[in-house]
Amino acid sequence: MAERIHPGDSPPSSGEHSNPKPTPPSSDKPIPQPGTYVVQIPKDQVYRVPPPENARRYAHLSKRKSSRSTCCRCCCCLLTTILSLLLAAAIAAAVIYFVFKPEAPNYSVESVAIKGFNLTSPSPLSPEFDVTVRADNGNDKIGIYYEKGSSVNVYYQDVNLSNGALPVFYQPTNNVTLFKTALKGSGIELTAASLRSISNDQNKGTVPFTLKLRAPVKIKAGSVKTWKITVKVTCKITVDKLTASSKIVSKDCDYGVDLW
């Protein structure tokens, strides 16, 4: 079929080329990218300070930012001070350790005399323990001050039978001290099961007790005296009978310290 040619339409000749579109004049202003637009605002409408309706909010936010910054500075100063104190304490402890070479004292129970155990009477017990404790300070340059406020308690199972305190004294370097303390109890009521248990233990010749000693002490290293430190001693002792002539069958003591 023949193609239809509209009037006024002339087919382009093969030798003719379409002229390119004229290039728009260059401008110094940036040309927005396709799909974007530019909003122009007069200079007199540009605020260098918040508008009146936002002034209160701006002041509130500025104040909160300032107080937060002050708080952060205070926290940093406090943290720096704490770290400095800890570092100084660690250095002082290291110096004391290498100069004085401290050794933990040794504690043991040497003897126990028991009175006031009438297991056949229905009346409450009034047990008494005369305990001799041996304290061995093997340090060459450290003395120990035993202060007021100590406590010594004797337990059978979980029952506190008697209590007392240590004498106040100073233990010099390289010294062994034996001190006797009288522990007394009154109105002690044991359950029927506890009475049967302690009677059976006495018949077997192995009555177990727990002695707990707590003593506030101050350590003297050279001319320096420390703050109060609590010495904690727990001794598991076993005696053959509940009399004044009782003998210790076995003993085992653990030692600890509360620095603060």
Side-chain angles (χ1 to χ4, degrees):
M1 292 179 62
E3 293 183 357
R4 179 179 298 177
I5 301 175
H6 293 279
D9 291 345
S10 59
S13 61
S14 59
E16 294 178 354
H17 296 281
S18 59
N19 295 329
K21 293 182 180 181
T23 303
S26 61
S27 174
D28 295 337
K29 296 183 179 180
I31 300 175
Q33 297 294 328
T36 64
Y37 59 90
V38 176
V39 178
Q40 295 183 351
I41 301 175
K43 287 185 177 181
D44 57 350
Q45 294 184 13
V46 177
Y47 289 98
R48 294 184 180 275
V49 295
E53 59 271 17
N54 292 335
R56 181 177 301 175
R57 177 178 174 80
Y58 174 79
H60 174 69
L61 292 176
S62 299
K63 183 178 179 181
R64 186 170 62 178
K65 184 177 180 181
S66 175
S67 25
R68 184 181 302 172
S69 176
T70 303
C71 181
C72 290
R73 286 196 298 269
C74 291
C75 290
C76 289
C77 292
L78 180 60
L79 182 60
T80 303
T81 303
I82 292 175
L83 291 177
S84 300
L85 292 176
L86 290 176
L87 180 60
I91 294 174
V95 170
I96 291 175
Y97 179 80
F98 286 108
V99 171
F100 296 98
K101 297 180 180 179
E103 297 179 4
N106 294 319
Y107 297 92
S108 62
V109 178
E110 294 298 301
S111 64
V112 178
I114 304 173
K115 295 180 290 184
F117 269 95
N118 188 354
L119 301 180
T120 60
S121 173
S123 302
L125 301 176
S126 297
E128 297 182 11
F129 291 78
D130 290 332
V131 181
T132 302
V133 179
R134 183 179 188 268
D136 183 3
N137 178 19
N139 291 283
D140 295 331
K141 301 178 181 179
I142 294 178
I144 303 174
Y145 287 93
Y146 288 83
E147 305 282 334
K148 293 180 179 180
S150 64
S151 65
V152 184
N153 296 274
V154 173
Y155 295 83
Y156 178 77
Q157 296 177 350
D158 293 330
V159 181
N160 188 357
L161 299 176
S162 59
N163 55 78
L166 297 179
V168 177
F169 67 99
Y170 171 71
Q171 186 176 24
T173 61
N174 291 317
N175 174 265
V176 175
T177 300
L178 295 175
F179 49 87
K180 182 178 291 186
T181 178
L183 313 178
K184 296 182 180 182
S186 62
I188 306 300
E189 296 183 0
L190 297 177
T191 63
S194 295
L195 284 172
R196 286 195 302 270
S197 176
I198 198 170
S199 297
N200 291 334
D201 292 337
Q202 183 173 221
N203 293 334
K204 292 183 295 184
T206 55
V207 185
F209 293 105
T210 301
L211 183 143
K212 293 184 178 182
L213 184 153
R214 302 293 183 268
V217 302
K218 289 184 178 181
I219 305 300
K220 183 183 178 184
S223 59
V224 178
K225 186 187 294 187
T226 66
W227 60 92
K228 282 187 179 181
I229 299 172
T230 302
V231 173
K232 303 185 301 181
V233 181
T234 300
C235 293
K236 303 287 186 180
I237 58 176
T238 302
V239 298
D240 59 347
K241 50 190 174 182
L242 300 174
T243 64
S245 59
S246 62
K247 294 181 180 180
I248 295 177
V249 176
S250 65
K251 57 185 177 181
D252 181 27
C253 293
D254 291 330
Y255 167 84
V257 171
D258 282 340
L259 295 177
W260 310 105

